[in-house]
Amino acid sequence: MTTSHILLRVSSTKPGQLDISPSREMSSTPILIDTISNSSSLSRSNHEEKTEPGGMHSVRPVLDEDDDLTIRPGRKPPPKIPKHNVITNTITSYLSKSDSREEVVSVTINISPEVSFTLHKPLRNRLSLEVNACEAIQDLMDAHEFFKIIKNPQTENYKDVLPFLITRRKKFFKKRLWVVRATLKAMNGEWGTLGTSPSIHEEFSSFSGIACSRFGVLPPVDVLIKLSVEIQTCARVNIDVVSMERLVQIFDRMFEDCHLLLRSRTVAQAAPRSGAAAAKSAMERFLPLSGGVDYLIKFCRNTFPGPEVRYQWTDRGHFED
């Protein structure tokens, strides 16, 4: 039996297709391959055989994308969708003076005709021009200062924005600290009853390396207890007397501890309305003050090429009904 080798020539035809034809005459017809099919279908096709009349098998030739760089432009990854909830929650957290309804600044992201933010805060007293004017001016100044820091080329991460939060939103920040400390304090003595995994790798999954590097061979339940105690200690700091530099260091550690504690299976899968669920909720409301700011910094730099963030207020600048 004589075996003949057939060489295939690859040439581009229409966009999204490849023309694979034999280098010498064959009775078979050219095969067209759609290069935008998903990876699973490509994988199946790589091993696909077709049975022809007479029991002959012909292997369907398929090019892997690494074999020919010319097919890469047809497989561009989809653009990342901005995390709008992270952006709006972060801005609200930094511009709201407290959690009370009349002090919360709500945020809307406008997409058209160009990306911008709309900020809204209800007027406290629509019958008093003087009261409304004072509040409106303060809100305008705070928003201007906040976005100025966000767009400052010297701003690297949330630690550069914390001084604004601690000085301009002291009451709000103190409340967030108190809630985190109170919910974790209520968990003192309860961690051992939650069925924590005996394996650090199961309890912290992909974050087990961080947990091991910080806490060594401590059992997972002891790691949860230690994290809880450290967070409570940080949250008790008196921000009125400690230097700003030291406060940034303390809260940097507190944010790291909250991030790690939230990644534990015990907290992540906490039963609704349980003490662990309350602590989880408190920490999740606290974290936009760190990771949320880091995301906002990147988003604003990529979205607003100019020196300023585009935003506007509703019910500010005029005080009539």
Side-chain angles (χ1 to χ4, degrees):
M1 181 176 181
T2 303
T3 303
S4 60
H5 298 278
I6 299 175
L7 298 177
L8 298 181
R9 182 180 67 255
V10 181
S11 61
S12 60
T13 55
K14 298 179 181 179
Q17 294 182 333
L18 291 178
D19 180 9
I20 304 180
S21 56
S23 59
R24 60 184 177 83
E25 261 186 68
M26 295 177 60
S27 60
S28 60
T29 57
I31 301 173
L32 299 180
I33 301 173
D34 187 355
T35 61
I36 61 172
S37 59
N38 58 41
S39 58
S40 60
S41 63
L42 283 176
S43 177
R44 291 194 301 271
S45 299
N46 281 336
H47 305 284
E48 184 178 351
E49 293 188 356
K50 182 179 178 181
T51 303
E52 296 188 357
M56 298 295 291
H57 294 273
S58 63
V59 180
R60 181 184 180 183
V62 176
L63 288 183
D64 185 79
E65 67 176 36
D66 290 332
D67 296 336
D68 190 348
L69 296 178
T70 60
I71 72 174
R72 290 185 181 274
R75 299 176 62 85
K76 291 181 180 179
K80 292 184 178 180
I81 300 176
K83 301 175 183 178
H84 287 179
N85 63 316
V86 174
I87 296 169
T88 55
N89 289 344
T90 300
I91 297 175
T92 293
S93 296
Y94 267 80
L95 296 184
S96 299
K97 293 182 180 178
S98 69
D99 290 325
S100 60
R101 185 176 180 181
E102 63 272 12
E103 294 291 356
V104 172
V105 176
S106 60
V107 183
T108 302
I109 301 178
N110 309 303
I111 304 300
S112 179
E114 56 185 3
V115 178
S116 64
F117 302 130
T118 295
L119 313 180
H120 175 73
K121 176 182 172 184
L123 296 174
R124 182 188 296 272
N125 188 343
R126 288 183 174 272
L127 300 179
S128 172
L129 177 63
E130 182 179 355
V131 171
N132 286 334
C134 293
E135 290 186 357
I137 292 173
Q138 186 62 54
D139 290 334
L140 292 171
M141 292 174 58
D142 288 345
H144 174 77
E145 181 65 20
F146 174 68
F147 287 120
K148 180 180 177 181
I149 297 173
I150 292 295
K151 283 289 289 180
N152 189 333
Q154 301 301 319
T155 300
E156 296 182 359
N157 52 46
Y158 75 90
K159 289 185 282 188
D160 296 317
V161 192
L162 270 181
F164 170 90
L165 180 70
I166 296 172
T167 56
R168 296 289 190 96
R169 295 290 179 264
K170 184 177 293 187
K171 179 181 177 181
F172 171 85
F173 193 56
K174 284 182 175 180
K175 178 68 177 295
R176 283 283 195 266
L177 291 174
W178 181 86
V179 173
V180 171
R181 180 168 59 87
T183 54
L184 286 176
K185 184 178 180 180
M187 286 297 298
N188 291 348
E190 299 294 326
W191 294 108
T193 67
L194 300 180
T196 303
S197 171
S199 169
I200 195 73
H201 299 288
E202 292 180 5
E203 181 63 29
F204 288 94
S205 185
S206 57
F207 291 85
S208 59
I210 298 176
C212 290
S213 65
R214 285 193 55 186
F215 302 103
V217 295
L218 276 181
V221 65
D222 291 338
V223 173
L224 299 184
I225 294 172
K226 192 168 181 61
L227 284 170
S228 176
V229 171
E230 287 186 0
I231 294 171
Q232 293 177 61
T233 301
C234 292
R236 281 196 296 267
V237 65
N238 187 343
I239 65 177
D240 294 317
V241 298
V242 179
S243 68
M244 184 60 66
E245 182 179 358
R246 179 57 181 154
L247 287 175
V248 171
Q249 293 174 350
I250 291 173
F251 294 132
D252 183 34
R253 170 48 63 93
M254 182 177 176
F255 284 126
E256 289 182 0
D257 288 345
C258 287
H259 272 291
L260 188 56
L261 187 54
L262 283 171
R263 296 312 190 273
S264 70
R265 190 185 67 172
T266 300
V267 175
Q269 300 179 1
R273 300 190 178 186
S274 64
K280 176 185 176 184
S281 177
M283 288 187 288
E284 287 176 338
R285 297 182 70 189
F286 184 67
L287 286 182
L289 305 179
S290 60
V293 174
D294 289 342
Y295 185 85
L296 179 63
I297 292 171
K298 294 178 181 178
F299 174 81
C300 288
R301 288 179 177 173
N302 293 332
T303 305
F304 308 109
E308 298 180 350
V309 173
R310 288 189 295 270
Y311 71 95
Q312 58 277 336
W313 283 90
T314 59
D315 285 336
R316 290 295 182 270
H318 60 85
F319 311 107
E320 67 275 12
D321 288 332

